[in-house]
Each structure stands twice: as structure tokens, then as C-alpha cells.
Amino acid sequence: MAASLPTVPAWLGTASFAVLGAALGYLAYKLIRLALADADLNLLGLGKHRANAFEGKVIWITGASQGLGAVLAKYFAGFGAKLILSSRDAAKLQRVKDSLGLGAAAGDRVTILPFDLLADYAELEKAAAAADAAFGGAGVDYLIHNAGASQHALASETSAQVTDELMALNAVGPIKLTRAVLPYMLRRDRGRIVVVGSMSSKLPSPGQAVYAAAKMALYGYFSTLATEVSDTGVSVTICCPGPVATGSEETPRVVYGANGRIVQNNTGASNRLDPARAAQLIASAAAHGVDEAWIAKHPVLAVGYTWQLLPALGWRLLKKVGPKRARAIKEGRNGYDVSKLIK
């Protein structure tokens, strides 16, 4: 006669179903959050920074005369920071300063420090010394590398001059400026370098080959630097944004083409992150001290996760859409509509 199976206590069966239900519910919650995400789940899980996170802190922003740099300046000003605003154009920086709504307090809380990121190293050292001496020699708490330029051109058509300029502006300049700033931060044993990089440093970006190369170089340098100074009070946060809007869908963008700067429509505006939201996420990443933050809407965020977790599938997807996307970007069309690119 066959032996009877042991009886499972009723409470154990109920508990198992409860655990399974809770696990499935948690998984569903995470999948919904990922589907609606505009940043990586780690950053979103940390939430917004404390209201006093930047009160009295000295924040140096490069590329502060327009676009995301100007939005970052306004954001940090609203949380009590002292600002050093830099770009090549002093007049534009003054307009940004005047737009911050600080009134008479602007004189005590905002310093304009114009310089050319492509200048020789001696000029960058002068800028670093001036930033460290600002606000009575308070030193720089956050250096935000925001200066840079995008590119819309095929790799096969990009001139040597554009290649040199993009690499210098997007990679070599920030690296050299960091080298000039580091001695001051290390001497004070404090300071965080915040890099506004790109999701193109994490995966291929057809139609933006030299831009992607510069951002990958930036990622390589600053991720390595982060590990070298990890036993000091100096630290690094690398932000990897996807496309960020400049305004309405019709707002033109000045980018590099194959042979120089060109004006194109705001391609893929519906997939671009609002600049105010991008500034908030960058600030939160810096305040929480995260090493790396992905800041992007789908499909860029989804493709980034696919590339990291399933590289073979990522290669197949990007090789499928790559030629069409490169041509779309070159022609000023939407390069972020996957459904059209796959057809």
C-alpha cells in the first residue's frame, strides 16, 4: 500500500501564498515605477534632497550662460547656495545673474567668472584659483561640469576640425579644469565634482559618434578619479542625462554638424526631459552623494538597461535602428521614436 503524503499545516499554505503574493506585488510595483521612470530607480528611491542641502554652499557651474546651466543656477539659488557662474560670455552670465530673483543679495551670493574652457592650462589654473578665493576664500563645495555641445552628424562625414573641437570642449577641457581645481579641494579635504555627462557614455548613440566618444572619455576619467580619491574628502558624482529639452518642440538647437555649428529643430522634444526636472535630479544626485545617476525618459532609459543587462540584445537592437537613427539625427528629425526606426 502506497505511503500517504505528509499533511501540510493549513497555516503554512496560507503563509506561503501570502509571501508569494507580497513578492509579486512588490515586483509589479517596481515594474510600474520603471515604466514611469525618468531616472534610475536608485536615484528615484532616494527622493528629493533636503531643503537645506545647499544652504551657504559654494557651487561653481560651467556653461552657466544658457540652457541647462542657467536652469541649474536658478535651481541652486532657490536653495540658498552661493554661485560662481562661468562661460565665455560675461554679458550672458550677467543676464543669468539678474534673472535669479535675488535682488540686492545677488552681489553677495553670485560671482561671475568668465573664461574659455578651451584656453591654455595657465588660464584654467587662474580660473580655479579665482573660484577658490571667491566669497572670502570659502572654497568650492560643488564643481558642476555642465559646459559642452552636442552633435548631429554621421561619423563618416564629420570633419577633423569638428572632431578636435568636440573632444576638446566635451572631454579635454573639463579634465584639465578638474586637474587645476583638485589641489584646492584636496588641501581643504572637501568638495564634490558633479559631471553632467550623457547616456551616450553608457551605450552607442548613432548620429553622434564623436560626441559619444567625448562623453565616454569623460566617464572613463571621472569614474577612475572617483576611485583614486575615495579615501579623501573629495568625491565625484557622474550624471548621465538623456536628451534634455531647450523649450518647445519648435525651439531650435545649436549643435555641431559635420563641418561646424548648425541650427536644428529640437528633435524628439516629446522624449526630452524638462530642464527644471533635470536640474532637480542632478541636484539630488549630488546631495545624496551617489556615484552614478541615469537621468532620462524612455526609450533611452530602457535601452540603457537593456544594453547593461542584456548586451547581446542591446547590440541587435541598436544595429537594427542605428543607420535610420543616424540619418534622422543628421537631418534634424526625431531620433528617439523607436517604433518608426524599427520599421
Side-chain angles (χ1 to χ4, degrees):
M1 189 174 182
S4 60
L5 294 174
T7 303
V8 178
W11 66 266
L12 182 58
T14 302
S16 298
F17 277 113
V19 170
L20 178 60
L24 291 175
Y26 180 76
L27 178 60
Y29 167 73
K30 285 293 187 180
L31 289 175
I32 292 172
R33 285 203 68 185
L34 182 59
L36 301 175
D38 56 6
D40 65 80
L41 295 185
N42 176 60
L43 179 58
L44 294 178
L46 292 171
K48 190 177 178 181
H49 59 78
R50 301 187 321 274
N52 64 347
F54 303 107
E55 184 73 33
K57 300 296 185 182
V58 177
I59 301 179
W60 186 10
I61 305 172
T62 67
S65 62
Q66 60 187 355
L68 180 58
V71 176
L72 284 165
K74 187 170 185 178
Y75 185 89
F76 286 119
F79 286 93
K82 297 178 179 179
L83 301 176
I84 303 172
L85 306 180
S86 290
S87 76
R88 290 178 297 179
D89 195 322
K92 287 185 177 180
L93 290 173
Q94 183 62 49
R95 286 197 289 272
V96 172
K97 179 179 178 178
D98 294 340
S99 73
L100 298 178
L102 298 177
D108 297 323
R109 288 181 50 193
V110 183
T111 293
I112 291 176
L113 179 57
F115 74 97
D116 189 348
L117 194 59
L118 302 182
D120 59 40
Y121 187 61
E123 289 300 310
L124 301 186
E125 286 188 309
K126 289 180 182 178
D132 185 74
F135 304 109
V140 176
D141 294 294
Y142 294 90
L143 166 58
I144 301 184
H145 282 299
N146 173 71
S150 189
Q151 177 200 26
H152 292 175
L154 299 179
S156 60
E157 298 175 357
T158 302
S159 69
Q161 179 182 352
V162 166
T163 299
D164 289 345
E165 289 184 15
L166 274 171
M167 293 300 292
L169 180 59
N170 287 345
V172 178
I175 289 171
K176 290 167 66 177
L177 181 60
T178 297
R179 179 63 188 86
V181 171
L182 267 177
Y184 297 100
M185 287 188 168
L186 290 171
R187 193 175 303 131
R188 296 177 185 277
D189 198 34
R190 65 175 171 84
R192 178 170 292 273
I193 299 167
V194 181
V195 182
V196 181
S198 170
M199 283 299 291
S200 65
S201 69
K202 307 300 295 183
L203 67 158
S205 185
Q208 300 176 294
V210 179
Y211 172 81
K215 292 299 186 178
M216 287 181 180
L218 209 62
Y219 182 90
Y221 177 86
F222 282 101
S223 60
T224 301
L225 175 64
T227 64
E228 290 184 1
V229 298
S230 60
D231 60 350
T232 74
V234 180
S235 50
V236 177
T237 290
I238 304 174
C239 295
C240 300
V244 178
T246 57
S248 67
E249 189 171 352
E250 291 77 24
T251 301
R253 295 172 60 85
V254 178
V255 301
Y256 275 90
N259 298 296
R261 291 179 183 265
I262 60 174
V263 176
Q264 285 195 334
N265 290 330
N266 195 348
T267 56
S270 62
N271 299 107
R272 292 182 180 274
L273 201 62
D274 178 76
R277 174 61 171 165
Q280 180 192 73
L281 290 168
I282 290 169
S284 292
H288 288 304
V290 303
D291 298 309
E292 179 177 328
W294 292 9
I295 299 170
K297 296 172 71 174
H298 295 303
V300 176
L301 188 62
V303 174
Y305 274 116
T306 302
W307 187 264
Q308 294 292 309
L309 301 175
L310 301 167
L313 178 58
W315 273 107
R316 289 184 63 183
L317 173 62
L318 283 170
K319 290 176 81 171
K320 172 72 174 177
V321 305
K324 290 182 179 179
R325 183 183 191 272
R327 289 191 291 271
I329 291 290
K330 171 190 172 183
E331 296 165 6
R333 295 184 283 112
N334 188 346
Y336 299 96
D337 190 335
V338 177
S339 62
K340 290 183 179 179
L341 297 176
I342 290 178
K343 290 181 180 177

PDB file of all heavy atoms in Angstrom, residues 60-63 72 117 142-148 173-179 181 193-197 215 218 221-222:
ATOM      1  N   TRP A  60      30.045  76.025  -8.198  1.00  0.00           N
ATOM      2  CA  TRP A  60      30.639  76.569  -9.417  1.00  0.00           C
ATOM      3  C   TRP A  60      30.049  75.818 -10.605  1.00  0.00           C
ATOM      4  O   TRP A  60      30.192  74.607 -10.716  1.00  0.00           O
ATOM      5  CB  TRP A  60      32.146  76.419  -9.361  1.00  0.00           C
ATOM      6  CG  TRP A  60      32.895  77.068 -10.507  1.00  0.00           C
ATOM      7  CD1 TRP A  60      32.402  77.905 -11.445  1.00  0.00           C
ATOM      8  CD2 TRP A  60      34.287  76.914 -10.784  1.00  0.00           C
ATOM      9  NE1 TRP A  60      33.397  78.297 -12.313  1.00  0.00           N
ATOM     10  CE2 TRP A  60      34.565  77.702 -11.932  1.00  0.00           C
ATOM     11  CE3 TRP A  60      35.321  76.192 -10.188  1.00  0.00           C
ATOM     12  CZ2 TRP A  60      35.847  77.776 -12.490  1.00  0.00           C
ATOM     13  CZ3 TRP A  60      36.588  76.267 -10.742  1.00  0.00           C
ATOM     14  CH2 TRP A  60      36.847  77.068 -11.879  1.00  0.00           C
ATOM     15  N   ILE A  61      29.373  76.547 -11.489  1.00  0.00           N
ATOM     16  CA  ILE A  61      28.712  75.938 -12.646  1.00  0.00           C
ATOM     17  C   ILE A  61      29.382  76.432 -13.925  1.00  0.00           C
ATOM     18  O   ILE A  61      29.427  77.634 -14.182  1.00  0.00           O
ATOM     19  CB  ILE A  61      27.213  76.299 -12.694  1.00  0.00           C
ATOM     20  CG1 ILE A  61      26.526  75.926 -11.383  1.00  0.00           C
ATOM     21  CG2 ILE A  61      26.531  75.608 -13.863  1.00  0.00           C
ATOM     22  CD1 ILE A  61      25.092  76.428 -11.280  1.00  0.00           C
ATOM     23  N   THR A  62      29.897  75.526 -14.741  1.00  0.00           N
ATOM     24  CA  THR A  62      30.404  75.906 -16.052  1.00  0.00           C
ATOM     25  C   THR A  62      29.271  75.777 -17.075  1.00  0.00           C
ATOM     26  O   THR A  62      28.306  75.056 -16.864  1.00  0.00           O
ATOM     27  CB  THR A  62      31.583  75.023 -16.484  1.00  0.00           C
ATOM     28  OG1 THR A  62      31.134  73.673 -16.717  1.00  0.00           O
ATOM     29  CG2 THR A  62      32.685  75.005 -15.425  1.00  0.00           C
ATOM     30  N   GLY A  63      29.400  76.509 -18.173  1.00  0.00           N
ATOM     31  CA  GLY A  63      28.315  76.516 -19.157  1.00  0.00           C
ATOM     32  C   GLY A  63      27.051  77.105 -18.574  1.00  0.00           C
ATOM     33  O   GLY A  63      25.937  76.678 -18.896  1.00  0.00           O
ATOM     34  N   LEU A  72      20.166  75.308 -13.832  1.00  0.00           N
ATOM     35  CA  LEU A  72      20.838  74.849 -12.610  1.00  0.00           C
ATOM     36  C   LEU A  72      21.146  76.015 -11.684  1.00  0.00           C
ATOM     37  O   LEU A  72      20.985  75.915 -10.465  1.00  0.00           O
ATOM     38  CB  LEU A  72      22.129  74.109 -12.976  1.00  0.00           C
ATOM     39  CG  LEU A  72      21.975  72.689 -13.514  1.00  0.00           C
ATOM     40  CD1 LEU A  72      23.276  72.222 -14.167  1.00  0.00           C
ATOM     41  CD2 LEU A  72      21.579  71.727 -12.396  1.00  0.00           C
ATOM     42  N   LEU A 117      36.914  77.515 -21.662  1.00  0.00           N
ATOM     43  CA  LEU A 117      37.302  76.157 -21.303  1.00  0.00           C
ATOM     44  C   LEU A 117      38.355  75.593 -22.253  1.00  0.00           C
ATOM     45  O   LEU A 117      39.071  74.657 -21.905  1.00  0.00           O
ATOM     46  CB  LEU A 117      36.060  75.253 -21.290  1.00  0.00           C
ATOM     47  CG  LEU A 117      36.173  73.878 -20.621  1.00  0.00           C
ATOM     48  CD1 LEU A 117      36.576  74.010 -19.161  1.00  0.00           C
ATOM     49  CD2 LEU A 117      34.857  73.121 -20.736  1.00  0.00           C
ATOM     50  N   TYR A 142      30.936  72.432  -4.601  1.00  0.00           N
ATOM     51  CA  TYR A 142      30.498  71.631  -5.752  1.00  0.00           C
ATOM     52  C   TYR A 142      30.996  72.295  -7.031  1.00  0.00           C
ATOM     53  O   TYR A 142      30.730  73.481  -7.263  1.00  0.00           O
ATOM     54  CB  TYR A 142      28.966  71.545  -5.826  1.00  0.00           C
ATOM     55  CG  TYR A 142      28.312  70.790  -4.700  1.00  0.00           C
ATOM     56  CD1 TYR A 142      27.907  71.445  -3.544  1.00  0.00           C
ATOM     57  CD2 TYR A 142      28.061  69.419  -4.794  1.00  0.00           C
ATOM     58  CE1 TYR A 142      27.291  70.767  -2.503  1.00  0.00           C
ATOM     59  CE2 TYR A 142      27.443  68.727  -3.765  1.00  0.00           C
ATOM     60  CZ  TYR A 142      27.057  69.405  -2.623  1.00  0.00           C
ATOM     61  OH  TYR A 142      26.447  68.724  -1.604  1.00  0.00           O
ATOM     62  N   LEU A 143      31.717  71.555  -7.839  1.00  0.00           N
ATOM     63  CA  LEU A 143      32.051  71.993  -9.190  1.00  0.00           C
ATOM     64  C   LEU A 143      31.170  71.199 -10.144  1.00  0.00           C
ATOM     65  O   LEU A 143      31.258  69.964 -10.195  1.00  0.00           O
ATOM     66  CB  LEU A 143      33.522  71.731  -9.509  1.00  0.00           C
ATOM     67  CG  LEU A 143      33.933  71.833 -10.982  1.00  0.00           C
ATOM     68  CD1 LEU A 143      33.621  73.213 -11.558  1.00  0.00           C
ATOM     69  CD2 LEU A 143      35.404  71.490 -11.161  1.00  0.00           C
ATOM     70  N   ILE A 144      30.326  71.894 -10.883  1.00  0.00           N
ATOM     71  CA  ILE A 144      29.407  71.213 -11.800  1.00  0.00           C
ATOM     72  C   ILE A 144      29.884  71.424 -13.226  1.00  0.00           C
ATOM     73  O   ILE A 144      29.807  72.532 -13.770  1.00  0.00           O
ATOM     74  CB  ILE A 144      27.967  71.729 -11.620  1.00  0.00           C
ATOM     75  CG1 ILE A 144      27.518  71.489 -10.174  1.00  0.00           C
ATOM     76  CG2 ILE A 144      27.026  71.025 -12.604  1.00  0.00           C
ATOM     77  CD1 ILE A 144      26.093  71.861  -9.895  1.00  0.00           C
ATOM     78  N   HIS A 145      30.396  70.360 -13.819  1.00  0.00           N
ATOM     79  CA  HIS A 145      30.860  70.394 -15.200  1.00  0.00           C
ATOM     80  C   HIS A 145      29.652  70.271 -16.125  1.00  0.00           C
ATOM     81  O   HIS A 145      29.198  69.177 -16.453  1.00  0.00           O
ATOM     82  CB  HIS A 145      31.816  69.227 -15.473  1.00  0.00           C
ATOM     83  CG  HIS A 145      33.196  69.440 -14.951  1.00  0.00           C
ATOM     84  ND1 HIS A 145      34.006  70.470 -15.366  1.00  0.00           N
ATOM     85  CD2 HIS A 145      33.924  68.729 -14.053  1.00  0.00           C
ATOM     86  CE1 HIS A 145      35.171  70.398 -14.749  1.00  0.00           C
ATOM     87  NE2 HIS A 145      35.151  69.355 -13.941  1.00  0.00           N
ATOM     88  N   ASN A 146      29.137  71.424 -16.567  1.00  0.00           N
ATOM     89  CA  ASN A 146      27.966  71.429 -17.436  1.00  0.00           C
ATOM     90  C   ASN A 146      28.282  71.882 -18.856  1.00  0.00           C
ATOM     91  O   ASN A 146      27.526  71.602 -19.782  1.00  0.00           O
ATOM     92  CB  ASN A 146      26.896  72.344 -16.834  1.00  0.00           C
ATOM     93  CG  ASN A 146      25.709  72.534 -17.746  1.00  0.00           C
ATOM     94  OD1 ASN A 146      24.906  71.615 -17.953  1.00  0.00           O
ATOM     95  ND2 ASN A 146      25.596  73.717 -18.329  1.00  0.00           N
ATOM     96  N   ALA A 147      29.399  72.573 -19.057  1.00  0.00           N
ATOM     97  CA  ALA A 147      29.738  73.093 -20.381  1.00  0.00           C
ATOM     98  C   ALA A 147      29.908  71.952 -21.380  1.00  0.00           C
ATOM     99  O   ALA A 147      30.435  70.889 -21.055  1.00  0.00           O
ATOM    100  CB  ALA A 147      31.020  73.920 -20.309  1.00  0.00           C
ATOM    101  N   GLY A 148      29.458  72.184 -22.600  1.00  0.00           N
ATOM    102  CA  GLY A 148      29.597  71.170 -23.647  1.00  0.00           C
ATOM    103  C   GLY A 148      28.711  71.491 -24.827  1.00  0.00           C
ATOM    104  O   GLY A 148      27.981  72.480 -24.824  1.00  0.00           O
ATOM    105  N   GLY A 173      38.710  69.728 -22.003  1.00  0.00           N
ATOM    106  CA  GLY A 173      38.537  70.925 -21.188  1.00  0.00           C
ATOM    107  C   GLY A 173      38.126  70.616 -19.754  1.00  0.00           C
ATOM    108  O   GLY A 173      38.771  71.083 -18.800  1.00  0.00           O
ATOM    109  N   PRO A 174      37.046  69.858 -19.541  1.00  0.00           N
ATOM    110  CA  PRO A 174      36.653  69.515 -18.171  1.00  0.00           C
ATOM    111  C   PRO A 174      37.731  68.747 -17.404  1.00  0.00           C
ATOM    112  O   PRO A 174      37.901  68.952 -16.200  1.00  0.00           O
ATOM    113  CB  PRO A 174      35.403  68.645 -18.379  1.00  0.00           C
ATOM    114  CG  PRO A 174      34.843  69.101 -19.681  1.00  0.00           C
ATOM    115  CD  PRO A 174      36.027  69.435 -20.527  1.00  0.00           C
ATOM    116  N   ILE A 175      38.458  67.873 -18.101  1.00  0.00           N
ATOM    117  CA  ILE A 175      39.526  67.125 -17.439  1.00  0.00           C
ATOM    118  C   ILE A 175      40.631  68.076 -16.974  1.00  0.00           C
ATOM    119  O   ILE A 175      41.113  67.997 -15.835  1.00  0.00           O
ATOM    120  CB  ILE A 175      40.084  66.044 -18.380  1.00  0.00           C
ATOM    121  CG1 ILE A 175      39.050  64.926 -18.562  1.00  0.00           C
ATOM    122  CG2 ILE A 175      41.396  65.474 -17.845  1.00  0.00           C
ATOM    123  CD1 ILE A 175      39.417  63.917 -19.641  1.00  0.00           C
ATOM    124  N   LYS A 176      41.026  69.002 -17.837  1.00  0.00           N
ATOM    125  CA  LYS A 176      42.084  69.956 -17.479  1.00  0.00           C
ATOM    126  C   LYS A 176      41.638  70.897 -16.358  1.00  0.00           C
ATOM    127  O   LYS A 176      42.415  71.220 -15.452  1.00  0.00           O
ATOM    128  CB  LYS A 176      42.511  70.742 -18.720  1.00  0.00           C
ATOM    129  CG  LYS A 176      43.278  69.914 -19.739  1.00  0.00           C
ATOM    130  CD  LYS A 176      43.417  70.616 -21.073  1.00  0.00           C
ATOM    131  CE  LYS A 176      44.268  71.853 -20.996  1.00  0.00           C
ATOM    132  NZ  LYS A 176      44.444  72.476 -22.342  1.00  0.00           N
ATOM    133  N   LEU A 177      40.385  71.346 -16.406  1.00  0.00           N
ATOM    134  CA  LEU A 177      39.891  72.216 -15.345  1.00  0.00           C
ATOM    135  C   LEU A 177      39.870  71.471 -14.014  1.00  0.00           C
ATOM    136  O   LEU A 177      40.217  72.034 -12.969  1.00  0.00           O
ATOM    137  CB  LEU A 177      38.497  72.739 -15.684  1.00  0.00           C
ATOM    138  CG  LEU A 177      37.880  73.691 -14.656  1.00  0.00           C
ATOM    139  CD1 LEU A 177      38.736  74.936 -14.466  1.00  0.00           C
ATOM    140  CD2 LEU A 177      36.455  74.080 -15.055  1.00  0.00           C
ATOM    141  N   THR A 178      39.469  70.218 -14.036  1.00  0.00           N
ATOM    142  CA  THR A 178      39.467  69.406 -12.818  1.00  0.00           C
ATOM    143  C   THR A 178      40.878  69.290 -12.249  1.00  0.00           C
ATOM    144  O   THR A 178      41.083  69.386 -11.034  1.00  0.00           O
ATOM    145  CB  THR A 178      38.895  68.013 -13.103  1.00  0.00           C
ATOM    146  OG1 THR A 178      37.532  68.149 -13.512  1.00  0.00           O
ATOM    147  CG2 THR A 178      38.958  67.116 -11.877  1.00  0.00           C
ATOM    148  N   ARG A 179      41.834  69.073 -13.129  1.00  0.00           N
ATOM    149  CA  ARG A 179      43.230  68.974 -12.676  1.00  0.00           C
ATOM    150  C   ARG A 179      43.670  70.272 -12.004  1.00  0.00           C
ATOM    151  O   ARG A 179      44.451  70.253 -11.037  1.00  0.00           O
ATOM    152  CB  ARG A 179      44.147  68.656 -13.872  1.00  0.00           C
ATOM    153  CG  ARG A 179      45.626  68.550 -13.508  1.00  0.00           C
ATOM    154  CD  ARG A 179      45.870  67.412 -12.546  1.00  0.00           C
ATOM    155  NE  ARG A 179      47.242  67.437 -12.054  1.00  0.00           N
ATOM    156  CZ  ARG A 179      47.671  68.137 -11.005  1.00  0.00           C
ATOM    157  NH1 ARG A 179      46.823  68.916 -10.345  1.00  0.00           N
ATOM    158  NH2 ARG A 179      48.927  68.084 -10.609  1.00  0.00           N
ATOM    159  N   VAL A 181      41.609  72.337 -10.369  1.00  0.00           N
ATOM    160  CA  VAL A 181      40.814  72.524  -9.152  1.00  0.00           C
ATOM    161  C   VAL A 181      41.204  71.547  -8.044  1.00  0.00           C
ATOM    162  O   VAL A 181      41.152  71.880  -6.855  1.00  0.00           O
ATOM    163  CB  VAL A 181      39.308  72.361  -9.487  1.00  0.00           C
ATOM    164  CG1 VAL A 181      38.455  72.315  -8.223  1.00  0.00           C
ATOM    165  CG2 VAL A 181      38.842  73.481 -10.398  1.00  0.00           C
ATOM    166  N   ILE A 193      32.803  66.892  -7.217  1.00  0.00           N
ATOM    167  CA  ILE A 193      32.802  67.204  -8.641  1.00  0.00           C
ATOM    168  C   ILE A 193      31.605  66.503  -9.268  1.00  0.00           C
ATOM    169  O   ILE A 193      31.477  65.278  -9.187  1.00  0.00           O
ATOM    170  CB  ILE A 193      34.110  66.739  -9.311  1.00  0.00           C
ATOM    171  CG1 ILE A 193      35.298  67.459  -8.668  1.00  0.00           C
ATOM    172  CG2 ILE A 193      34.075  66.997 -10.815  1.00  0.00           C
ATOM    173  CD1 ILE A 193      36.638  66.866  -9.026  1.00  0.00           C
ATOM    174  N   VAL A 194      30.710  67.288  -9.852  1.00  0.00           N
ATOM    175  CA  VAL A 194      29.493  66.749 -10.456  1.00  0.00           C
ATOM    176  C   VAL A 194      29.619  66.875 -11.973  1.00  0.00           C
ATOM    177  O   VAL A 194      29.752  67.982 -12.498  1.00  0.00           O
ATOM    178  CB  VAL A 194      28.244  67.500  -9.961  1.00  0.00           C
ATOM    179  CG1 VAL A 194      26.979  66.913 -10.588  1.00  0.00           C
ATOM    180  CG2 VAL A 194      28.163  67.460  -8.438  1.00  0.00           C
ATOM    181  N   VAL A 195      29.604  65.761 -12.646  1.00  0.00           N
ATOM    182  CA  VAL A 195      29.801  65.713 -14.093  1.00  0.00           C
ATOM    183  C   VAL A 195      28.447  65.552 -14.779  1.00  0.00           C
ATOM    184  O   VAL A 195      27.737  64.581 -14.530  1.00  0.00           O
ATOM    185  CB  VAL A 195      30.725  64.548 -14.493  1.00  0.00           C
ATOM    186  CG1 VAL A 195      30.969  64.545 -15.992  1.00  0.00           C
ATOM    187  CG2 VAL A 195      32.040  64.628 -13.727  1.00  0.00           C
ATOM    188  N   VAL A 196      28.089  66.515 -15.616  1.00  0.00           N
ATOM    189  CA  VAL A 196      26.894  66.364 -16.443  1.00  0.00           C
ATOM    190  C   VAL A 196      27.353  65.687 -17.729  1.00  0.00           C
ATOM    191  O   VAL A 196      27.761  66.332 -18.686  1.00  0.00           O
ATOM    192  CB  VAL A 196      26.217  67.720 -16.728  1.00  0.00           C
ATOM    193  CG1 VAL A 196      24.965  67.521 -17.574  1.00  0.00           C
ATOM    194  CG2 VAL A 196      25.866  68.424 -15.416  1.00  0.00           C
ATOM    195  N   GLY A 197      27.331  64.366 -17.692  1.00  0.00           N
ATOM    196  CA  GLY A 197      27.787  63.584 -18.838  1.00  0.00           C
ATOM    197  C   GLY A 197      26.654  63.319 -19.809  1.00  0.00           C
ATOM    198  O   GLY A 197      25.944  64.243 -20.208  1.00  0.00           O
ATOM    199  N   LYS A 215      32.032  61.875 -24.434  1.00  0.00           N
ATOM    200  CA  LYS A 215      31.347  61.593 -23.178  1.00  0.00           C
ATOM    201  C   LYS A 215      31.851  60.286 -22.557  1.00  0.00           C
ATOM    202  O   LYS A 215      31.906  60.161 -21.322  1.00  0.00           O
ATOM    203  CB  LYS A 215      29.839  61.522 -23.402  1.00  0.00           C
ATOM    204  CG  LYS A 215      29.208  62.867 -23.765  1.00  0.00           C
ATOM    205  CD  LYS A 215      29.396  63.898 -22.669  1.00  0.00           C
ATOM    206  CE  LYS A 215      28.655  65.196 -22.964  1.00  0.00           C
ATOM    207  NZ  LYS A 215      28.792  66.197 -21.879  1.00  0.00           N
ATOM    208  N   LEU A 218      35.016  61.191 -20.877  1.00  0.00           N
ATOM    209  CA  LEU A 218      34.693  61.880 -19.637  1.00  0.00           C
ATOM    210  C   LEU A 218      34.331  60.871 -18.544  1.00  0.00           C
ATOM    211  O   LEU A 218      34.802  60.969 -17.404  1.00  0.00           O
ATOM    212  CB  LEU A 218      33.518  62.834 -19.890  1.00  0.00           C
ATOM    213  CG  LEU A 218      33.395  64.094 -19.046  1.00  0.00           C
ATOM    214  CD1 LEU A 218      34.595  65.003 -19.245  1.00  0.00           C
ATOM    215  CD2 LEU A 218      32.105  64.829 -19.402  1.00  0.00           C
ATOM    216  N   TYR A 221      37.482  58.981 -17.308  1.00  0.00           N
ATOM    217  CA  TYR A 221      38.351  59.776 -16.441  1.00  0.00           C
ATOM    218  C   TYR A 221      37.744  59.943 -15.055  1.00  0.00           C
ATOM    219  O   TYR A 221      38.403  59.687 -14.034  1.00  0.00           O
ATOM    220  CB  TYR A 221      38.609  61.151 -17.072  1.00  0.00           C
ATOM    221  CG  TYR A 221      39.448  62.054 -16.205  1.00  0.00           C
ATOM    222  CD1 TYR A 221      40.836  61.994 -16.246  1.00  0.00           C
ATOM    223  CD2 TYR A 221      38.856  62.975 -15.339  1.00  0.00           C
ATOM    224  CE1 TYR A 221      41.620  62.815 -15.438  1.00  0.00           C
ATOM    225  CE2 TYR A 221      39.625  63.802 -14.525  1.00  0.00           C
ATOM    226  CZ  TYR A 221      41.001  63.717 -14.585  1.00  0.00           C
ATOM    227  OH  TYR A 221      41.767  64.531 -13.777  1.00  0.00           O
ATOM    228  N   PHE A 222      36.490  60.387 -15.006  1.00  0.00           N
ATOM    229  CA  PHE A 222      35.914  60.733 -13.708  1.00  0.00           C
ATOM    230  C   PHE A 222      35.544  59.507 -12.881  1.00  0.00           C
ATOM    231  O   PHE A 222      35.576  59.568 -11.640  1.00  0.00           O
ATOM    232  CB  PHE A 222      34.723  61.671 -13.897  1.00  0.00           C
ATOM    233  CG  PHE A 222      35.145  63.078 -14.181  1.00  0.00           C
ATOM    234  CD1 PHE A 222      35.132  63.577 -15.480  1.00  0.00           C
ATOM    235  CD2 PHE A 222      35.612  63.896 -13.173  1.00  0.00           C
ATOM    236  CE1 PHE A 222      35.541  64.868 -15.750  1.00  0.00           C
ATOM    237  CE2 PHE A 222      36.040  65.187 -13.427  1.00  0.00           C
ATOM    238  CZ  PHE A 222      36.007  65.680 -14.727  1.00  0.00           C
TER     239      PHE A 222
END
